[in-house]
Amino acid sequence: MEPASGIRLDHNHQLSLKEFPYIIRWRDDRCKRCGKCTAVCPVKAIEPTVRVQRIVKSEGPVPTPTAVRSITHVVEQVKDMERCCTGCGSCTLVCPNEAIEPEFNPQHKFLHYKNKGGEGYKRGGRRNDPSISTLDRLKFARISMLTDPALDAGRHEFRVRSYIGRILPPEELPLKSVNGKLIVDKESIFIPPVREIFPIMIGSMSVGALSPPMWEGLAMGVAYLNEVEGMPVVMCSGEGGMPPRLLRSKYLKYFIIQIASGYFGWDEIIHAIPHMVEDPAAIEIKYGQGAKPGDGGLLMAQKVLKLIAKIRGVPQFVDLASPPTHQTKYSIEEAVAKMIQSMSMAWGFRVPVYPKISGTRTARAVLNNLARNPYAAALSIDGEDGGTGAAYNVSMDKMGHPIVSNLRECYLDLVKQGKQNELPLIAAGGIGKKGNLAANAAALIMLGASAVAIGKYIMQAAADCFGDEYNRCNLCNTGKCPRGITTQDPKLYRRLDSDKVAERVVEVFKAADVELKKIFAPMGRSTELPIGMSDGLSIDDQAIAERLGISYAC
């Protein structure tokens, strides 16, 4: 049977299904020919067709062999690498009889055919590395029992809170004693703004990268956690601005506004400042992203529909590319002096302002410059396991630095300067990759993070994102997300219920809060986070233990 379409290596050779990353297993005996699977496939990797079969029969008392041709309707996988199955499993979900299922092919030659025409393979998702990360190998070994009595996680009161903002040392606090009472010294030139937050935040995912129901669901969940549950969870807007009504609402205080090198949506934000009834939680200046260090952002034209174009202040259906760097800044010092200080001035020095960088060997250089600047409120470091909406495959799989060791290097640098309690570090990239959100967050806190940011995890936990480390789905950049998470196509995002997304966000954070208490209770910590408490961690690898300065246990 000839395929409907195919890439030919020469005139006599076509691709075999064994070269595809996913092979679709279809069962003739179970299929009802309802057509649901072919209708729902986001990349059209399967199609209905007919198969002609020649059967030789011998019947009757004096059998004479006769050839009979029969025509049957079948579902076939298309042998075209441009329409190869991504393994999302949408066909399996809609099939009433479990007659179809994609199967991962570990011997595939996908990348041999994808890089062509002078363009490398681009995709969404995160690093395709199914191995267990260092973060997931860390264990909590310091259990207080007789020396420092452990706490009861179920009955003891805990304060699982952290801070964004420059925390001044005691001798620099703007306080003075008057008649035996401490009062605020109003003559102090600059008092750094500080925000109390929950130590797990939702990382930067923009309006545009996410569908309207997904972004709205996350925002509603965050508002509910703050207003009803009393958990100060914050969410970063990502690059691309924010809905105008939100900028002028009381809920803005739960959001971190991101400014990146494309400056999309910032006209609307600047014009809204005089009308803001609340200040944002913080301002994040994006210089890098862990999934594609040294590269800019990209929102592809097919996702720039009317709503997104209006918020970002651009025409419809054009590629929105952010440069790799802020075009007016040519050094770390200049970036700190201009961007951080100007953003602080825009909000009257009431809002913490901090940069976000990729996890690389240059992170310490950035940190040392920030440590000397009184206006820098924190440093966010995004490790190599972070996700993205669109990037070159080579950037996502082969570039970057693991967050664990990068964070530890930076924290120990602060320790040497005596500023480990002054400049907060925010860690991101691969947190909850295997589902262990609270354990990963607690481990990073003990390595020196004041807070952690999650993105891909909340997409999977709140909206059942299909993506994984076997190049499964990864259609974020195309606007064809089968779950309706990263698309602007109404036919697709109607599959997503923003109310249910919000409910799941609330459940995820409430569960994480309980699990964090379960981890911190045996260590006897209840009123403050064990930031930098590395003696509570262990690992079964001697080299990693020495690198991170934690105990080796096997």
Side-chain angles (χ1 to χ4, degrees):
M1 185 72 189
E2 288 288 322
S5 60
I7 299 174
R8 294 180 179 272
L9 300 182
D10 54 49
H11 293 293
N12 301 314
H13 179 74
Q14 290 180 330
L15 294 183
S16 164
L17 286 180
K18 293 185 180 295
E19 296 174 290
F20 286 70
Y22 285 88
I23 299 173
I24 297 171
R25 303 300 183 190
W26 174 74
R27 291 189 56 172
D28 189 357
D29 58 323
R30 289 187 176 183
C31 183
K32 291 175 60 178
R33 276 69 173 178
C34 64
K36 291 182 179 179
C37 57
T38 55
V40 80
C41 180
V43 293
K44 306 302 178 186
I46 50 178
E47 60 185 14
T49 184
V50 294
R51 179 179 295 158
V52 179
Q53 290 182 317
R54 179 177 179 274
I55 303 174
V56 177
K57 293 185 176 181
S58 298
E59 297 177 344
V62 183
T64 301
T66 57
V68 179
R69 291 181 178 271
S70 65
I71 298 177
T72 58
H73 295 273
V74 298
V75 174
E76 279 196 348
Q77 182 171 355
V78 176
K79 295 180 181 177
D80 181 352
M81 201 60 81
E82 293 302 310
R83 292 164 59 185
C84 67
C85 174
T86 61
C88 70
S90 297
C91 54
T92 306
L93 288 177
V94 300
C95 181
N97 293 335
E98 298 181 353
I100 192 167
E101 181 180 14
E103 179 182 308
F104 180 66
N105 175 25
Q107 286 82 36
H108 70 86
K109 296 181 180 178
F110 176 73
L111 292 179
H112 290 75
Y113 299 106
K114 255 313 188 185
N115 298 323
K116 61 177 187 176
E119 278 290 320
Y121 169 47
K122 292 189 285 285
R123 64 177 178 86
R126 65 182 173 206
R127 181 168 294 236
N128 286 325
D129 183 4
S131 62
I132 298 177
S133 66
T134 300
L135 188 56
D136 278 306
R137 294 174 62 184
L138 295 174
K139 294 183 179 179
F140 308 102
R142 186 183 186 278
I143 309 299
S144 304
M145 286 182 284
L146 298 179
T147 51
D148 299 309
L151 304 173
D152 188 328
R155 291 182 291 181
H156 195 89
E157 289 188 2
F158 285 79
R159 184 171 177 78
V160 184
R161 299 290 185 268
S162 188
Y163 300 95
I164 289 182
R166 196 62 167 253
I167 303 170
L168 295 178
E171 62 274 11
E172 294 182 23
L173 289 173
L175 301 172
K176 60 182 180 181
S177 178
V178 178
N179 298 327
K181 294 183 179 180
L182 283 176
I183 63 171
V184 177
D185 184 4
K186 296 182 179 180
E187 296 179 1
S188 297
I189 298 175
F190 175 63
I191 303 174
V194 177
R195 297 285 189 275
E196 182 182 74
I197 64 168
F198 190 71
I200 301 175
M201 65 173 69
I202 297 179
S204 47
M205 295 179 287
S206 69
V207 180
L210 297 184
S211 65
M214 183 63 190
W215 208 92
E216 182 184 2
L218 294 178
M220 287 194 300
V222 167
Y224 185 93
L225 286 165
N226 281 271
E227 299 277 332
V228 179
E229 299 294 339
M231 295 175 62
V233 177
V234 293
M235 169 180 166
C236 185
S237 69
E239 181 184 17
M242 297 178 70
R245 288 180 63 188
L246 182 55
L247 289 172
R248 294 166 173 80
S249 77
K250 67 176 184 177
Y251 301 108
L252 182 62
K253 59 187 174 182
Y254 308 137
F255 292 85
I256 297 171
I257 303 178
Q258 186 187 90
I259 177 172
S261 57
Y263 300 96
F264 296 117
W266 265 82
D267 281 348
E268 185 72 39
I269 292 171
I270 296 300
H271 291 151
I273 289 178
H275 309 287
M276 290 179 179
V277 296
E278 293 283 353
D279 289 328
I283 304 297
E284 179 179 274
I285 304 171
K286 177 195 163 191
Y287 289 97
Q289 187 174 342
K292 45 179 177 177
D295 202 356
L298 174 65
L299 188 69
M300 301 184 81
Q302 57 264 36
K303 298 176 77 171
V304 187
L305 301 188
K306 184 177 180 180
L307 173 64
I308 307 308
K310 183 178 180 181
I311 292 174
R312 297 197 174 204
V314 297
Q316 295 184 55
F317 306 115
V318 294
D319 284 336
L320 301 182
S322 299
T325 60
H326 289 255
Q327 297 298 291
T328 58
K329 315 297 178 291
Y330 298 100
S331 68
I332 299 171
E333 294 82 2
E334 196 176 21
V336 170
K338 289 184 178 179
M339 290 294 292
I340 294 179
Q341 193 163 345
S342 62
M343 287 297 105
S344 298
M345 291 171 64
W347 272 271
F349 297 96
R350 301 185 306 270
V351 177
V353 182
Y354 67 90
K356 173 187 175 181
I357 63 172
S358 306
T360 69
R361 292 296 299 274
T362 59
R364 291 168 63 190
V366 177
L367 176 69
N368 288 326
N369 276 275
L370 295 177
R372 296 194 297 268
N373 189 289
Y375 300 104
L379 174 63
S380 178
I381 307 172
D382 196 7
E384 66 179 12
D385 279 328
T388 184
Y392 280 94
N393 184 71
V394 68
S395 296
M396 299 181 72
D397 282 356
K398 300 299 180 184
M399 296 180 68
H401 199 299
I403 186 58
V404 171
S405 56
N406 213 195
L407 168 72
R408 189 62 176 161
E409 285 176 343
C410 290
Y411 179 75
L412 293 178
D413 247 23
L414 287 176
V415 171
K416 291 177 183 177
Q417 300 177 50
K419 295 187 176 182
Q420 69 271 28
N421 297 317
E422 181 177 337
L423 189 68
L425 297 175
I426 302 169
I431 298 162
K433 188 174 180 179
K434 297 295 183 183
N436 303 312
L437 174 60
N440 288 172
L444 287 169
I445 288 169
M446 293 181 191
L447 289 172
S450 293
V452 300
I454 57 174
K456 184 69 172 179
Y457 176 88
I458 202 68
M459 289 168 64
Q460 291 178 309
D464 299 324
C465 169
F466 288 140
D468 65 10
E469 287 67 62
Y470 293 92
N471 208 25
R472 186 182 183 213
C473 197
N474 288 345
L475 295 169
C476 317
N477 60 314
T478 65
K480 298 177 181 178
C481 174
R483 296 302 268 175
I485 302 170
T486 59
T487 178
Q488 301 303 321
D489 185 346
K491 294 179 182 177
L492 294 174
Y493 68 61
R494 286 194 191 106
R495 300 175 183 179
L496 203 60
D497 186 336
S498 57
D499 289 336
K500 291 183 178 179
V501 171
E503 289 175 13
R504 282 295 301 145
V505 169
V506 172
E507 293 301 323
V508 165
F509 276 91
K510 288 174 67 177
D513 185 50
V514 172
E515 289 190 325
L516 285 174
K517 293 173 183 177
K518 287 288 184 182
I519 294 170
F520 297 152
M523 300 180 183
R525 305 298 288 264
S526 63
T527 58
E528 60 182 16
L529 294 181
I531 299 173
M533 186 178 164
S534 56
D535 66 329
L537 295 172
S538 69
I539 196 167
D540 60 356
D541 186 294
Q542 182 74 51
I544 296 177
E546 292 177 3
R547 179 84 167 83
L548 301 180
I550 61 177
S551 63
Y552 166 60
C554 63

